[in-house]
Amino acid sequence: MATVALAFSGGLDTTVCVPLLKEEYGYDEVIGVNVDVGQPTEEFDEAEETADALGLDLHVVDAKEEFADLCYDAVKTNATYQGYPLGTALARPVIAEAILGVAEEQGCDAIAHGCTGKGNDQLRFEAVWRGSDLEVIAPVRELGLTREWEIDYAAEKDLPVEAGDGGVWSIDENIWSRAVEGGKLEDPSYEPPEDIYEWTAGPEGETTIEVTFEEGVPVAIDGEAMDPVPLIQYLNKYAGGYGIGRTDVMEDRMLGLKVRENYEHPAATVLLTAHQALEDLVLTKNERSFKKGIEQEWSEKAYQGLVFAPVVDALDAFVDETQDVVTGTATVKVSGGNCRVVARDSEYAVYSEEMASFNTEDVAGIAQEDATGVAKYHGLQERLANDVKAGVEKPELATDGSGAADEIDDEN
Ligand code: ARG
């Protein structure tokens, strides 16, 4: 008996896949897998009802903790892609692994998803699945299905889909972000109505939030220790109430399509802002600037669903090395839809108030006069290059052995 495991959400696409996998692909049995990365409970209820009505055996896997760990890797890396904290992108490999786990444990021959051929998710899922021995099936893409065809087919087969299906917007929600697309939002010049937002209130009021980090990992909010999943969920509610964490981006998908996306991600905004602020205090300039490139590369790979790539392990190794000192607190002020750092504190601060102060003379052997020599040389090459361009005669080499540096000094 041939069995296929299907990524099942209970939406139109995955619902029509159930009979199609039997009729068009000849499988005897389809099992559904729904992976919990923090979707709203209604989504699970819906998936269960639909599965019941279809007579589909539905497995639910809770992967919230694995997902939260990956979100914390993203915090350590200050990861965003084109301004978006990567909620959907980071969730996909976690979901793909969980489904593959069920498929293997149930002795399936194949594994299937309901993604279309236009989006990123088909690539993210298959990047994981094609590493297994199972056959990979993408019915919607392979059979060239359209939404209209699916609606007619569902009616004809009497499949349990809501008439009109799913409301105006296409929404993807997990603990790290809520993504809204489709409908009128596809027009980039259309301003989103307030009702696309569910996590973020209209910006009102003001509060401060202190985040405590240990080696780059958030461990407490306002002094209260919390585990990753509840910490993220708490911040989404609390900070979301002050309207922060909305982005409206033109996003470049992997296939080259530019799409308009709207996101809500209050917890991600607070944690990323606070983490960056603490790093600014404890890392050296060289670490900070080199890490920017690492972050960019990591975020690209995360967007592509390739967090399991060897290069990401190597990037993580660099990031982890820098995080040893990212221990302390950062406080953000949340108001007017805005989140900005107002305080940071760490025993590892690469900072000396005494040295930086204008009032103190000669601390730790630092005296103003010492900077004179540095000031003479600063910009030396640029001045020389400009003189060359302007045709100014170069200083003659001294013949008395007193050295060229003196000559250049005199010129300037
Ligand atoms: N474009 C985003 C990504 O690929 C998120 C897509 C979210 N899906 C949705 N139905 N809103 O990461």
Side-chain angles (χ1 to χ4, degrees):
M1 198 175 74
T3 309
V4 52
L6 168 70
F8 187 81
S9 67
L12 178 64
D13 290 318
T14 54
T15 298
V16 301
C17 282
V18 176
L20 286 173
L21 285 165
K22 294 180 181 166
E23 290 166 11
E24 298 293 325
Y25 292 88
Y27 282 89
D28 306 300
E29 201 194 337
V30 183
I31 62 166
V33 189
N34 196 0
V35 182
D36 185 353
V37 283
Q39 302 89 317
T41 41
E42 306 88 75
E43 285 190 22
F44 292 102
D45 298 344
E46 256 176 58
E48 217 164 280
E49 275 169 36
T50 311
D52 276 350
L54 285 166
L56 176 75
D57 176 21
L58 183 64
H59 297 245
V60 180
V61 183
D62 185 351
K64 288 198 292 292
E65 286 182 11
E66 288 98 299
F67 181 45
D69 287 347
L70 187 56
C71 294
Y72 278 9
D73 285 348
V75 169
K76 291 196 256 179
T77 313
N78 302 317
T80 56
Y81 175 80
Q82 297 183 334
Y84 139 60
L86 293 159
T88 301
L90 290 169
R92 291 304 176 264
V94 174
I95 294 172
E97 291 285 359
I99 296 172
L100 183 59
V102 173
E104 284 175 342
E105 170 198 295
Q106 298 292 314
C108 293
D109 308 283
I111 191 162
H113 63 68
C115 307
T116 72
K118 283 189 172 179
N120 293 320
D121 288 345
Q122 52 175 341
L123 306 179
R124 295 169 180 153
F125 281 130
E126 292 181 38
V128 173
W129 291 350
R130 288 184 186 276
S132 77
D133 293 331
L134 304 184
E135 192 193 342
V136 175
I137 310 175
V140 176
R141 181 184 71 207
E142 289 161 7
L143 303 172
L145 307 188
T146 63
R147 204 164 174 74
E148 294 69 42
W149 187 91
E150 290 179 4
I151 291 170
D152 290 348
Y153 177 79
E156 187 189 306
K157 291 269 159 182
D158 206 17
L159 299 178
V161 291
E162 294 155 43
D165 188 68
V168 200
W169 321 113
S170 163
I171 293 163
D172 180 66
E173 186 171 327
N174 59 49
I175 53 171
W176 205 231
S177 74
R178 181 172 173 276
V180 190
E181 64 182 20
K184 283 195 196 160
L185 295 171
E186 284 176 1
D187 174 0
S189 71
Y190 172 74
E191 183 180 336
E194 199 51 33
D195 69 15
I196 71 161
Y197 303 110
E198 261 181 30
W199 287 9
T200 52
E204 252 174 58
E206 174 178 294
T207 192
T208 55
I209 303 173
E210 184 196 76
V211 186
T212 306
F213 291 89
E214 258 168 40
E215 302 194 355
V217 174
V219 292
I221 299 298
D222 291 329
E224 191 169 324
M226 284 186 222
D227 286 333
V229 175
L231 188 149
I232 293 167
Q233 288 171 330
Y234 169 77
L235 273 186
N236 276 332
K237 266 230 160 64
Y238 181 42
Y242 292 87
I244 64 143
R246 289 182 181 182
T247 48
D248 181 333
V249 295
M250 289 311 301
E251 182 177 310
D252 293 299
R253 282 193 191 156
M254 279 184 265
L255 292 175
L257 287 174
K258 209 179 261 299
V259 290
R260 196 267 190 93
E261 291 277 5
N262 282 272
Y263 297 103
E264 293 181 280
H265 39 75
T269 297
V270 169
L271 295 177
L272 290 166
T273 306
H275 178 267
Q276 176 75 68
L278 188 56
E279 275 195 347
D280 293 349
L281 179 68
V282 299
L283 297 188
T284 61
K285 175 183 166 158
N286 288 330
E287 287 173 302
R288 288 169 71 181
S289 64
F290 193 80
K291 189 165 180 282
K292 284 276 174 282
I294 300 277
E295 293 170 0
Q296 171 77 23
E297 205 51 42
W298 196 99
S299 302
E300 285 285 339
K301 291 295 159 281
Y303 186 72
Q304 296 167 359
L306 298 178
V307 283
F308 55 82
V311 68
V312 174
D313 290 340
L315 298 170
D316 280 337
F318 177 88
V319 171
D320 282 340
E321 177 70 29
T322 62
Q323 298 303 293
D324 286 355
V325 291
V326 187
T327 293
T329 61
T331 304
V332 296
K333 181 163 276 182
V334 175
S335 72
N338 200 7
C339 173
R340 64 192 173 85
V341 62
V342 290
R344 67 292 264 164
D345 187 28
S346 171
E347 59 181 305
Y348 299 108
V350 184
Y351 178 76
S352 157
E353 196 172 340
E354 282 194 313
M355 278 193 201
S357 169
F358 287 109
N359 304 325
T360 324
E361 298 219 333
D362 207 353
V363 176
I366 291 178
Q368 288 197 58
E369 315 85 78
D370 293 344
T372 306
V374 178
K376 278 189 185 173
Y377 282 90
H378 185 64
L380 175 93
Q381 201 171 83
E382 286 67 30
R383 289 192 293 273
L384 182 55
N386 283 339
D387 283 354
V388 171
K389 274 193 196 165
V392 175
E393 255 182 65
K394 285 183 201 163
E396 297 256 322
L397 264 185
T399 46
D400 59 0
S402 68
D406 288 336
E407 296 284 335
I408 293 169
D409 253 10
D410 292 345
E411 281 283 308
N412 297 287

